[in-house]
Coordinates of all heavy atoms in Angstrom, one line a residue:
L1 N 0.9 -1.1 0.0 CA 0.0 0.0 0.0 C 0.9 1.2 0.0 O 1.8 1.3 0.8 CB -0.9 0.0 1.2 CG -2.1 0.8 1.3 CD1 -3.0 0.7 0.1 CD2 -2.9 0.6 2.6
A2 N 0.6 2.2 -0.9 CA 1.3 3.4 -0.9 C 1.1 4.3 0.4 O 0.2 4.1 1.1 CB 1.0 4.2 -2.2
A3 N 2.0 5.2 0.5 CA 2.1 6.0 1.8 C 0.7 6.8 2.0 O 0.1 6.8 3.0 CB 3.2 7.0 1.8
G4 N 0.2 7.4 0.9 CA -1.0 8.2 1.1 C -2.2 7.4 1.4 O -2.9 7.7 2.4
P5 N -2.5 6.3 0.6 CA -3.7 5.5 1.0 C -3.5 4.8 2.4 O -4.5 4.6 3.1 CB -3.6 4.4 -0.1 CG -3.1 5.1 -1.3 CD -2.0 6.0 -0.7
M6 N -2.2 4.4 2.7 CA -2.0 3.8 4.1 C -2.3 4.8 5.2 O -3.1 4.5 6.1 CB -0.5 3.4 4.2 CG -0.2 2.8 5.5 SD 1.6 2.4 5.8 CE 1.9 1.3 4.5
A7 N -1.9 6.1 5.0 CA -2.2 7.1 6.0 C -3.7 7.4 6.1 O -4.2 7.5 7.2 CB -1.4 8.3 5.6
A8 N -4.3 7.3 5.0 CA -5.8 7.6 4.9 C -6.5 6.5 5.7 O -7.5 6.6 6.5 CB -6.3 7.6 3.5
E9 N -6.1 5.2 5.5 CA -6.7 4.1 6.1 C -6.5 4.1 7.7 O -7.4 3.9 8.5 CB -6.2 2.7 5.6 CG -6.7 2.4 4.3 CD -8.2 2.1 4.3 OE1 -8.7 1.5 5.2 OE2 -8.9 2.6 3.3
I10 N -5.3 4.5 8.1 CA -5.0 4.7 9.5 C -5.9 5.8 10.1 O -6.5 5.5 11.2 CB -3.5 5.1 9.6 CG1 -2.6 3.8 9.3 CG2 -3.2 5.5 11.2 CD1 -1.1 4.2 9.2
N11 N -6.0 6.8 9.5 CA -6.8 7.9 9.9 C -8.3 7.6 10.0 O -8.9 7.9 11.0 CB -6.5 9.2 9.0 CG -7.3 10.4 9.6 OD1 -8.4 10.6 9.2 ND2 -6.6 11.1 10.5
K12 N -8.7 6.9 8.9 CA -10.2 6.4 8.9 C -10.5 5.5 10.0 O -11.6 5.5 10.5 CB -10.4 5.9 7.5 CG -11.9 5.5 7.3 CD -12.0 5.0 5.8 CE -12.3 3.6 5.8 NZ -12.5 3.1 4.3
A13 N -9.5 4.7 10.4 CA -9.7 3.8 11.5 C -9.7 4.4 12.8 O -10.0 3.7 13.8 CB -8.6 2.6 11.4
G14 N -9.3 5.6 12.9 CA -9.3 6.3 14.2 C -8.2 5.9 15.1 O -8.3 6.0 16.4
V15 N -7.1 5.6 14.6 CA -5.9 5.2 15.3 C -5.5 6.4 16.2 O -5.3 7.5 15.6 CB -4.8 4.6 14.5 CG1 -3.5 4.4 15.3 CG2 -5.2 3.3 13.8
D16 N -5.3 6.2 17.5 CA -4.8 7.4 18.3 C -3.3 7.3 18.4 O -2.7 8.4 18.6 CB -5.4 7.2 19.7 CG -6.9 7.4 19.7 OD1 -7.4 8.4 19.0 OD2 -7.6 6.6 20.4
I17 N -2.6 6.2 18.6 CA -1.3 6.0 18.7 C -0.7 5.1 17.8 O -1.1 4.0 17.6 CB -0.9 5.6 20.2 CG1 -1.5 6.7 21.2 CG2 0.6 5.5 20.4 CD1 -1.4 6.1 22.6
I18 N 0.5 5.6 17.0 CA 1.2 4.7 16.2 C 2.6 4.5 16.8 O 3.2 5.4 17.1 CB 1.4 5.3 14.7 CG1 0.0 5.3 14.0 CG2 2.4 4.4 14.0 CD1 0.1 6.0 12.6
V19 N 3.0 3.2 16.9 CA 4.3 2.8 17.4 C 5.0 2.3 16.1 O 4.7 1.2 15.8 CB 4.3 1.9 18.6 CG1 5.7 1.6 19.0 CG2 3.5 2.6 19.7
D20 N 5.9 3.0 15.6 CA 6.7 2.6 14.4 C 7.9 1.7 15.0 O 8.5 2.1 15.9 CB 7.2 3.7 13.6 CG 8.3 3.3 12.7 OD1 7.9 2.7 11.7 OD2 9.4 3.7 12.9
Y21 N 8.0 0.5 14.4 CA 9.1 -0.3 14.9 C 10.3 -0.4 14.0 O 11.2 -1.1 14.2 CB 8.5 -1.8 14.9 CG 7.6 -2.0 16.0 CD1 6.3 -2.1 15.7 CD2 7.9 -2.1 17.3 CE1 5.3 -2.3 16.7 CE2 7.0 -2.3 18.3 CZ 5.7 -2.4 18.0 OH 4.8 -2.6 19.0
D22 N 10.3 0.4 12.9 CA 11.4 0.4 12.0 C 12.4 1.5 12.1 O 13.6 1.4 12.0 CB 10.8 0.4 10.5 CG 10.1 -0.8 10.2 OD1 10.5 -1.9 10.7 OD2 9.1 -0.7 9.5
G23 N 11.9 2.8 12.3 CA 12.8 3.9 12.4 C 13.3 4.3 11.0 O 12.8 4.1 10.0
A24 N 14.6 4.9 11.1 CA 15.2 5.3 9.9 C 15.9 4.2 9.1 O 17.2 4.2 8.9 CB 16.1 6.4 10.2
H25 N 15.1 3.2 8.7 CA 15.7 2.1 7.7 C 15.2 2.3 6.4 O 14.2 3.0 6.2 CB 15.3 0.8 8.4 CG 16.0 0.4 9.6 ND1 17.3 0.0 9.7 CD2 15.5 0.2 10.8 CE1 17.6 -0.3 10.9 NE2 16.6 -0.2 11.6
S26 N 15.7 1.6 5.4 CA 15.3 1.7 4.0 C 13.9 1.1 3.8 O 13.3 1.3 2.9 CB 16.4 1.1 3.1 OG 16.5 -0.3 3.4
F27 N 13.5 0.2 4.7 CA 12.2 -0.5 4.6 C 11.1 0.1 5.5 O 10.1 -0.6 5.8 CB 12.4 -2.0 4.9 CG 13.1 -2.3 6.2 CD1 12.4 -2.2 7.4 CD2 14.4 -2.5 6.2 CE1 13.1 -2.5 8.5 CE2 15.2 -2.7 7.4 CZ 14.5 -2.7 8.5
N28 N 11.2 1.3 5.9 CA 10.3 1.9 6.9 C 9.0 2.5 6.2 O 8.9 2.4 5.0 CB 10.9 3.0 7.7 CG 11.3 4.2 6.9 OD1 10.5 4.6 6.1 ND2 12.5 4.7 7.1
N29 N 8.1 2.9 7.0 CA 6.9 3.5 6.5 C 6.7 4.9 7.0 O 5.6 5.4 7.2 CB 5.6 2.7 7.0 CG 5.4 1.4 6.4 OD1 5.4 1.3 5.1 ND2 5.4 0.3 7.1
L30 N 7.9 5.6 7.1 CA 7.9 7.0 7.6 C 7.1 7.9 6.5 O 6.6 8.9 6.9 CB 9.3 7.4 7.8 CG 10.0 6.8 8.9 CD1 11.5 7.3 9.0 CD2 9.3 7.0 10.3
A31 N 7.1 7.6 5.3 CA 6.4 8.4 4.3 C 4.9 8.4 4.6 O 4.2 9.5 4.6 CB 6.6 7.8 2.9
A32 N 4.3 7.3 5.1 CA 2.9 7.3 5.6 C 2.8 8.2 6.8 O 1.8 8.9 7.0 CB 2.4 5.9 5.8
L33 N 3.7 8.1 7.7 CA 3.6 8.9 9.0 C 3.8 10.3 8.7 O 3.3 11.2 9.5 CB 4.6 8.4 10.0 CG 4.5 7.0 10.5 CD1 5.6 6.7 11.5 CD2 3.2 6.6 11.0
A34 N 4.4 10.7 7.6 CA 4.6 12.1 7.3 C 3.2 12.8 7.0 O 3.1 14.0 7.1 CB 5.4 12.3 6.0
F35 N 2.2 12.1 6.7 CA 0.8 12.5 6.6 C 0.1 12.8 7.9 O -1.0 13.3 8.0 CB -0.1 11.5 5.8 CG 0.3 11.5 4.3 CD1 1.2 10.7 3.8 CD2 -0.4 12.5 3.4 CE1 1.5 10.6 2.4 CE2 -0.1 12.4 2.0 CZ 0.9 11.5 1.6
N36 N 0.8 12.5 9.0 CA 0.3 12.5 10.4 C -1.1 11.9 10.5 O -2.1 12.6 11.0 CB 0.3 14.0 10.8 CG 1.8 14.5 11.0 OD1 2.6 13.9 11.8 ND2 2.2 15.5 10.2
P37 N -1.2 10.6 10.3 CA -2.5 10.0 10.3 C -3.1 9.8 11.7 O -4.2 9.4 12.0 CB -2.4 8.7 9.6 CG -0.9 8.4 9.8 CD -0.2 9.7 9.8
A38 N -2.1 9.9 12.8 CA -2.6 9.6 14.2 C -2.1 10.8 15.0 O -1.0 11.4 14.7 CB -2.0 8.3 14.7
P39 N -2.8 11.2 16.1 CA -2.4 12.2 16.9 C -1.0 12.0 17.6 O -0.3 13.0 17.9 CB -3.5 12.3 18.0 CG -4.6 11.6 17.5 CD -4.1 10.5 16.5
V40 N -0.7 10.8 18.0 CA 0.6 10.5 18.6 C 1.3 9.5 17.7 O 0.8 8.4 17.4 CB 0.4 9.9 20.1 CG1 1.8 9.6 20.6 CG2 -0.3 10.9 20.9
Q41 N 2.5 9.8 17.3 CA 3.4 8.9 16.5 C 4.7 8.8 17.2 O 5.4 9.9 17.4 CB 3.4 9.4 15.1 CG 2.1 9.6 14.4 CD 2.2 10.0 13.0 OE1 1.1 10.0 12.3 NE2 3.3 10.7 12.5
T42 N 5.2 7.6 17.5 CA 6.4 7.3 18.1 C 7.1 6.3 17.4 O 6.5 5.5 16.7 CB 6.1 7.0 19.6 OG1 7.3 7.0 20.3 CG2 5.4 5.8 19.9
T43 N 8.4 6.1 17.8 CA 9.2 5.0 17.2 C 9.9 4.3 18.3 O 10.2 4.9 19.4 CB 10.2 5.5 16.2 OG1 10.7 4.3 15.5 CG2 11.2 6.4 16.7
W44 N 10.1 3.0 18.2 CA 10.6 2.2 19.2 C 11.3 0.9 18.7 O 10.7 0.3 17.8 CB 9.6 1.8 20.3 CG 10.0 0.8 21.3 CD1 11.0 1.0 22.3 CD2 9.5 -0.5 21.5 NE1 11.0 -0.1 23.1 CE2 10.0 -1.1 22.7 CE3 8.4 -1.2 20.9 CZ2 9.8 -2.3 23.2 CZ3 8.1 -2.5 21.4 CH2 8.8 -2.9 22.5
L45 N 12.3 0.5 19.2 CA 13.0 -0.8 19.0 C 13.8 -1.0 17.8 O 14.9 -1.4 17.8 CB 11.9 -1.9 19.1 CG 12.4 -3.3 19.4 CD1 13.2 -3.4 20.6 CD2 11.2 -4.2 19.5
G46 N 13.2 -0.8 16.5 CA 13.9 -1.1 15.3 C 15.2 -0.3 15.1 O 16.2 -0.7 14.5
F47 N 15.1 1.0 15.5 CA 16.2 1.8 15.2 C 16.3 2.9 16.4 O 15.4 3.7 16.5 CB 16.1 2.6 13.9 CG 17.2 3.6 13.5 CD1 18.5 3.1 13.1 CD2 17.1 4.9 13.7 CE1 19.5 3.9 12.8 CE2 18.1 5.8 13.4 CZ 19.3 5.3 13.0
P48 N 17.4 2.9 17.2 CA 17.4 3.7 18.4 C 17.8 5.1 18.2 O 18.0 5.9 19.1 CB 18.3 3.0 19.4 CG 19.2 2.4 18.5 CD 18.4 1.9 17.2
G49 N 18.0 5.6 16.9 CA 18.4 6.9 16.6 C 17.2 7.8 16.1 O 16.1 7.3 15.9
T50 N 17.6 9.0 15.9 CA 16.6 9.9 15.4 C 16.1 9.7 14.0 O 16.9 9.1 13.2 CB 17.1 11.4 15.4 OG1 16.0 12.4 15.1 CG2 18.3 11.6 14.5
V51 N 14.9 10.0 13.7 CA 14.4 9.9 12.3 C 14.6 11.2 11.6 O 14.6 11.3 10.4 CB 13.0 9.4 12.1 CG1 12.8 8.0 12.7 CG2 11.9 10.4 12.7
G52 N 15.0 12.2 12.3 CA 15.4 13.4 11.8 C 14.3 14.5 11.5 O 14.5 15.6 11.0
D53 N 13.1 14.2 11.9 CA 12.0 15.0 11.6 C 10.9 14.9 12.7 O 10.1 13.9 12.6 CB 11.3 14.8 10.2 CG 10.4 15.8 9.8 OD1 9.9 16.7 10.6 OD2 10.0 16.0 8.6
S54 N 10.8 15.8 13.7 CA 9.8 15.7 14.7 C 8.4 15.9 14.2 O 7.5 15.7 14.9 CB 10.1 16.7 15.8 OG 10.1 18.0 15.3
T55 N 8.2 16.4 13.0 CA 6.8 16.5 12.5 C 6.2 15.1 12.1 O 5.1 15.0 11.9 CB 6.7 17.6 11.4 OG1 7.5 17.1 10.2 CG2 7.2 18.9 11.8
V56 N 7.2 14.2 11.8 CA 6.7 12.8 11.4 C 6.6 11.9 12.6 O 5.6 11.3 12.8 CB 7.8 12.2 10.4 CG1 7.5 10.8 10.1 CG2 7.9 13.1 9.2
V57 N 7.6 11.9 13.5 CA 7.7 11.2 14.7 C 8.0 12.1 15.9 O 9.0 12.7 15.9 CB 8.6 10.0 14.7 CG1 8.7 9.2 16.0 CG2 8.3 9.1 13.6
G58 N 7.0 12.2 16.8 CA 7.2 13.2 17.8 C 8.0 12.7 19.1 O 8.5 13.4 19.8
H59 N 8.0 11.4 19.2 CA 8.7 10.7 20.3 C 9.5 9.5 20.0 O 9.2 8.9 19.0 CB 7.7 10.3 21.4 CG 6.8 11.3 21.8 ND1 5.6 11.7 21.2 CD2 6.8 12.2 22.9 CE1 5.0 12.6 21.8 NE2 5.7 13.1 22.8
I60 N 10.5 9.2 20.8 CA 11.2 8.0 20.6 C 11.2 7.2 22.0 O 11.7 7.9 23.0 CB 12.7 8.2 20.2 CG1 12.7 8.7 18.8 CG2 13.6 7.0 20.4 CD1 14.2 8.9 18.2
L61 N 10.7 6.0 22.0 CA 10.7 5.3 23.3 C 12.1 4.8 23.4 O 12.7 4.0 22.5 CB 9.8 4.2 23.2 CG 8.3 4.6 23.1 CD1 7.4 3.4 23.0 CD2 7.9 5.5 24.2
S62 N 12.8 5.0 24.5 CA 14.2 4.5 24.7 C 14.5 4.3 26.2 O 13.6 4.3 26.9 CB 15.1 5.6 24.0 OG 16.4 5.0 23.9
D63 N 15.7 4.3 26.5 CA 16.2 4.2 27.9 C 17.5 5.0 28.0 O 18.1 5.3 27.0 CB 16.3 2.8 28.4 CG 17.4 2.0 27.7 OD1 18.4 2.5 27.3 OD2 17.2 0.7 27.7
A64 N 18.0 5.1 29.2 CA 19.2 5.9 29.5 C 20.4 5.2 29.0 O 21.5 5.8 28.9 CB 19.3 6.2 31.0
I65 N 20.5 4.0 28.7 CA 21.6 3.2 28.2 C 21.7 3.4 26.7 O 22.7 3.9 26.1 CB 21.6 1.7 28.5 CG1 21.5 1.4 29.9 CG2 22.7 1.0 27.9 CD1 22.7 2.0 30.8
V66 N 20.6 3.2 26.0 CA 20.5 3.3 24.5 C 20.7 4.8 24.1 O 21.4 5.1 23.2 CB 19.2 2.7 23.9 CG1 19.2 3.0 22.5 CG2 19.2 1.3 24.2
T67 N 20.0 5.7 24.8 CA 20.1 7.1 24.4 C 20.3 7.8 25.8 O 19.4 8.3 26.5 CB 18.8 7.7 23.8 OG1 17.7 7.2 24.4 CG2 18.8 7.2 22.4
P68 N 21.6 8.0 26.3 CA 21.9 8.7 27.4 C 21.3 10.2 27.4 O 21.2 10.7 26.3 CB 23.4 8.8 27.4 CG 23.9 7.6 26.6 CD 22.8 7.5 25.6
P69 N 20.8 10.6 28.5 CA 20.1 11.9 28.4 C 20.9 13.2 27.8 O 20.3 14.0 27.1 CB 19.8 12.3 29.9 CG 19.7 10.9 30.5 CD 20.7 10.1 29.8
E70 N 22.2 13.0 27.9 CA 22.9 14.2 27.3 C 23.0 14.1 25.8 O 23.4 15.0 25.2 CB 24.4 14.1 27.8 CG 25.3 12.8 27.6 CD 25.0 11.8 28.6 OE1 24.2 11.8 29.5 OE2 25.9 10.8 28.6
T71 N 22.5 13.0 25.2 CA 22.4 12.9 23.7 C 21.1 13.5 23.2 O 21.0 13.5 22.0 CB 22.5 11.4 23.3 OG1 21.4 10.7 23.6 CG2 23.8 10.8 23.7
A72 N 20.2 13.9 24.0 CA 18.9 14.4 23.6 C 19.0 15.6 22.6 O 18.1 15.6 21.7 CB 18.1 14.8 24.8
L73 N 20.0 16.3 22.7 CA 20.2 17.6 21.9 C 20.4 17.1 20.5 O 20.3 17.8 19.5 CB 21.3 18.4 22.3 CG 22.6 17.8 22.3 CD1 23.5 18.5 21.3 CD2 23.3 18.1 23.7
H74 N 20.7 15.8 20.2 CA 21.0 15.3 18.8 C 19.7 14.7 18.2 O 19.8 14.2 17.1 CB 22.1 14.2 18.8 CG 23.4 14.7 19.4 ND1 24.2 15.6 18.6 CD2 24.0 14.5 20.5 CE1 25.2 15.9 19.4 NE2 25.2 15.3 20.5
F75 N 18.6 14.8 18.9 CA 17.4 14.2 18.4 C 16.4 15.3 18.1 O 16.3 16.2 18.8 CB 16.8 13.3 19.5 CG 17.5 12.0 19.7 CD1 18.6 11.9 20.4 CD2 17.0 10.8 19.0 CE1 19.3 10.7 20.5 CE2 17.6 9.6 19.2 CZ 18.9 9.6 19.9
T76 N 15.6 15.1 17.0 CA 14.6 16.1 16.7 C 13.3 15.7 17.5 O 12.5 16.6 17.8 CB 14.2 16.1 15.2 OG1 13.8 14.7 14.8 CG2 15.3 16.6 14.3
E77 N 13.2 14.4 17.9 CA 12.0 14.0 18.6 C 12.3 14.1 20.1 O 13.5 14.3 20.6 CB 11.8 12.5 18.3 CG 11.8 12.1 16.9 CD 13.1 11.8 16.2 OE1 14.2 12.1 16.9 OE2 13.1 11.6 15.1
R78 N 11.3 14.1 20.9 CA 11.3 14.1 22.3 C 11.6 12.6 22.8 O 10.9 11.7 22.3 CB 10.0 14.5 22.9 CG 10.0 14.6 24.4 CD 8.8 15.4 24.8 NE 8.7 15.2 26.3 CZ 7.6 15.2 27.0 NH1 6.4 15.2 26.4 NH2 7.6 15.1 28.3
L79 N 12.5 12.4 23.7 CA 12.9 11.2 24.1 C 11.9 10.8 25.3 O 11.8 11.5 26.3 CB 14.3 11.1 24.7 CG 15.4 11.3 23.8 CD1 16.8 11.3 24.5 CD2 15.4 10.4 22.6
A80 N 11.2 9.7 25.2 CA 10.3 9.2 26.2 C 11.1 8.0 26.8 O 11.2 6.9 26.2 CB 9.0 8.8 25.6
M81 N 11.7 8.3 28.1 CA 12.6 7.2 28.6 C 11.8 6.3 29.4 O 11.0 6.5 30.3 CB 13.6 7.9 29.6 CG 14.4 9.0 28.9 SD 15.3 8.5 27.4 CE 16.9 8.5 28.1
L82 N 12.1 4.9 29.0 CA 11.5 3.8 29.7 C 12.3 3.6 31.0 O 13.5 3.9 31.0 CB 11.5 2.5 28.9 CG 10.8 2.7 27.5 CD1 11.0 1.5 26.6 CD2 9.2 2.8 27.9
P83 N 11.6 3.3 32.1 CA 12.3 3.2 33.4 C 13.4 2.2 33.5 O 14.4 2.3 34.3 CB 11.2 2.9 34.4 CG 10.1 2.3 33.6 CD 10.2 2.9 32.2
R84 N 13.3 1.0 32.8 CA 14.3 0.1 33.0 C 15.1 -0.3 31.7 O 16.3 -0.2 31.6 CB 13.7 -1.3 33.5 CG 13.2 -1.2 34.9 CD 12.8 -2.5 35.5 NE 12.3 -2.3 36.8 CZ 11.0 -2.2 37.2 NH1 10.1 -2.2 36.2 NH2 10.6 -2.0 38.4
C85 N 14.3 -0.7 30.7 CA 15.0 -1.3 29.5 C 14.3 -1.0 28.2 O 13.1 -1.1 28.1 CB 15.0 -2.9 29.7 SG 16.0 -3.7 28.4
Y86 N 15.1 -0.6 27.3 CA 14.6 -0.3 25.9 C 14.1 -1.6 25.2 O 13.0 -1.6 24.5 CB 15.7 0.3 25.2 CG 15.7 0.3 23.7 CD1 14.9 1.3 23.0 CD2 16.4 -0.5 22.9 CE1 14.9 1.3 21.7 CE2 16.3 -0.5 21.5 CZ 15.6 0.5 20.9 OH 15.5 0.5 19.5
Q87 N 14.7 -2.7 25.4 CA 14.3 -3.9 24.7 C 14.0 -5.0 25.7 O 15.0 -5.6 26.3 CB 15.5 -4.4 23.8 CG 15.1 -5.6 23.0 CD 16.3 -6.0 22.0 OE1 17.4 -5.4 22.0 NE2 15.9 -6.9 21.1
P88 N 12.8 -5.2 26.0 CA 12.4 -6.2 27.0 C 12.7 -7.6 26.6 O 12.5 -8.0 25.4 CB 10.9 -6.0 27.1 CG 10.5 -5.3 25.9 CD 11.6 -4.6 25.4
R89 N 13.4 -8.3 27.4 CA 13.7 -9.8 27.2 C 13.9 -10.5 28.5 O 14.3 -9.8 29.4 CB 14.9 -9.9 26.2 CG 16.1 -9.2 26.8 CD 17.4 -9.3 26.0 NE 17.2 -9.7 24.6 CZ 18.1 -9.7 23.7 NH1 19.4 -9.3 24.1 NH2 18.0 -10.0 22.5
D90 N 13.9 -11.7 28.5 CA 14.1 -12.5 29.7 C 15.0 -13.7 29.2 O 14.6 -14.7 28.7 CB 12.8 -13.0 30.2 CG 13.0 -13.9 31.4 OD1 14.1 -14.0 32.0 OD2 11.9 -14.4 31.9
L91 N 16.3 -13.4 29.4 CA 17.3 -14.4 29.0 C 17.2 -15.7 29.9 O 17.8 -16.7 29.6 CB 18.7 -13.8 29.0 CG 18.9 -12.7 27.9 CD1 20.3 -12.2 28.1 CD2 18.6 -13.2 26.6
G92 N 16.6 -15.6 31.0 CA 16.5 -16.6 32.0 C 15.3 -17.6 31.6 O 15.1 -18.6 32.2
Q93 N 14.4 -17.1 30.7 CA 13.3 -17.9 30.3 C 13.7 -19.1 29.6 O 14.4 -19.1 28.7 CB 12.3 -17.0 29.5 CG 11.0 -17.7 29.1 CD 10.1 -17.8 30.4 OE1 10.1 -16.9 31.2 NE2 9.3 -18.8 30.4
K94 N 13.2 -20.3 30.1 CA 13.5 -21.6 29.4 C 12.6 -21.8 28.3 O 11.5 -21.5 28.3 CB 13.3 -22.7 30.4 CG 14.5 -23.4 30.8 CD 14.2 -24.6 31.8 CE 14.9 -25.8 31.2 NZ 14.7 -27.0 32.0
V95 N 13.3 -22.2 27.2 CA 12.5 -22.5 26.0 C 12.0 -23.9 26.1 O 12.7 -24.9 26.4 CB 13.3 -22.3 24.7 CG1 12.7 -22.6 23.4 CG2 13.9 -20.9 24.6
S96 N 10.7 -24.1 25.8 CA 10.1 -25.4 25.8 C 10.8 -26.4 24.8 O 11.1 -26.0 23.8 CB 8.6 -25.4 25.5 OG 8.1 -26.7 25.5
E97 N 10.9 -27.6 25.3 CA 11.4 -28.7 24.4 C 10.3 -29.3 23.6 O 10.5 -30.1 22.8 CB 12.2 -29.7 25.2 CG 13.5 -29.1 25.8 CD 14.3 -30.1 26.6 OE1 14.1 -31.3 26.5 OE2 15.2 -29.6 27.4
V98 N 9.1 -29.0 24.1 CA 7.9 -29.6 23.4 C 7.5 -28.7 22.3 O 7.2 -27.4 22.5 CB 6.7 -29.7 24.4 CG1 5.5 -30.3 23.6 CG2 7.2 -30.6 25.5
A99 N 7.4 -29.1 21.0 CA 7.0 -28.3 19.9 C 5.4 -28.4 19.8 O 4.8 -29.4 19.7 CB 7.6 -28.8 18.6
L100 N 4.8 -27.2 20.0 CA 3.3 -27.1 19.9 C 2.9 -26.6 18.6 O 3.6 -25.8 17.9 CB 2.8 -26.0 20.9 CG 3.1 -26.5 22.4 CD1 2.6 -25.3 23.3 CD2 2.5 -27.7 22.9
S101 N 1.8 -27.1 18.2 CA 1.2 -26.5 16.9 C 0.6 -25.2 17.2 O 0.5 -24.8 18.4 CB 0.1 -27.4 16.4 OG -1.0 -27.4 17.2
R102 N 0.4 -24.3 16.2 CA -0.3 -23.0 16.5 C -1.6 -23.2 17.2 O -1.9 -22.4 18.0 CB -0.5 -22.3 15.1 CG 0.8 -21.9 14.5 CD 0.6 -21.1 13.2 NE -0.2 -20.0 13.3 CZ 0.2 -18.8 13.7 NH1 1.5 -18.6 14.0 NH2 -0.6 -17.8 13.8
E103 N -2.3 -24.2 16.9 CA -3.7 -24.4 17.6 C -3.4 -24.8 19.0 O -4.1 -24.3 19.8 CB -4.4 -25.5 16.8 CG -5.8 -25.8 17.4 CD -6.5 -26.9 16.5 OE1 -6.6 -26.8 15.3 OE2 -7.1 -27.7 17.2
E104 N -2.6 -25.7 19.2 CA -2.2 -26.0 20.6 C -1.8 -24.9 21.5 O -2.0 -24.8 22.7 CB -1.2 -27.1 20.7 CG -1.7 -28.5 20.1 CD -0.5 -29.4 19.9 OE1 0.6 -29.1 19.6 OE2 -0.7 -30.7 20.2
A105 N -1.1 -23.9 20.9 CA -0.6 -22.7 21.5 C -1.6 -21.7 21.6 O -1.4 -20.6 22.2 CB 0.7 -22.2 20.8
G106 N -2.8 -21.9 21.1 CA -3.9 -21.0 21.1 C -3.7 -19.8 20.1 O -4.3 -18.7 20.3
L107 N -3.0 -20.1 19.1 CA -2.7 -19.0 18.0 C -3.6 -19.3 16.8 O -3.9 -20.3 16.4 CB -1.3 -18.9 17.6 CG -0.3 -18.7 18.8 CD1 1.1 -18.8 18.3 CD2 -0.5 -17.3 19.4

């Protein structure tokens, strides 16, 4: 879907918050976000740097390790700092040895 029609669909659906997972990569949808289809547009996880235009993305979800507070002046977006971790994960979580089907897993 092209950027304009994608933005129109997002707006028509009444989306209040968009969380972009790509950021400034070649495969992103920032062109659709440039239409400002939602009142709040933020980016998180895919690219921890600035997208370079706060009219497209107003916030970046991050943490003090990935984006130390003193680096905020290098961002066009406002840094929304998560209290613990930018990338949630549990390395202590054991992976099951039992292979479940999608149906058995409730998916």
Side-chain angles (χ1 to χ4, degrees):
L1 197 53
M6 181 186 297
E9 287 296 318
I10 291 167
N11 187 269
K12 187 170 108 179
V15 173
D16 293 316
I17 300 171
I18 292 177
V19 178
D20 168 68
Y21 292 104
D22 296 327
H25 289 290
S26 61
F27 50 83
N28 67 47
N29 287 307
L30 294 177
L33 297 185
F35 287 92
N36 292 300
V40 176
Q41 299 182 165
T42 187
T43 189
W44 172 64
L45 201 55
F47 181 74
T50 183
V51 300
D53 189 345
S54 63
T55 65
V56 175
V57 175
H59 304 85
I60 292 181
L61 299 176
S62 194
D63 67 30
I65 301 299
V66 175
T67 50
E70 61 271 15
T71 66
L73 62 111
H74 301 292
F75 288 79
T76 60
E77 309 84 356
R78 183 173 173 209
L79 297 179
M81 303 303 250
L82 300 172
R84 292 193 180 95
C85 183
Y86 162 80
Q87 184 175 9
R89 58 178 17 174
D90 180 0
L91 297 176
Q93 185 70 32
K94 250 185 127 177
V95 177
S96 174
E97 294 180 20
V98 177
L100 299 175
S101 70
R102 291 181 58 83
E103 185 177 310
E104 290 170 326
L107 303 172

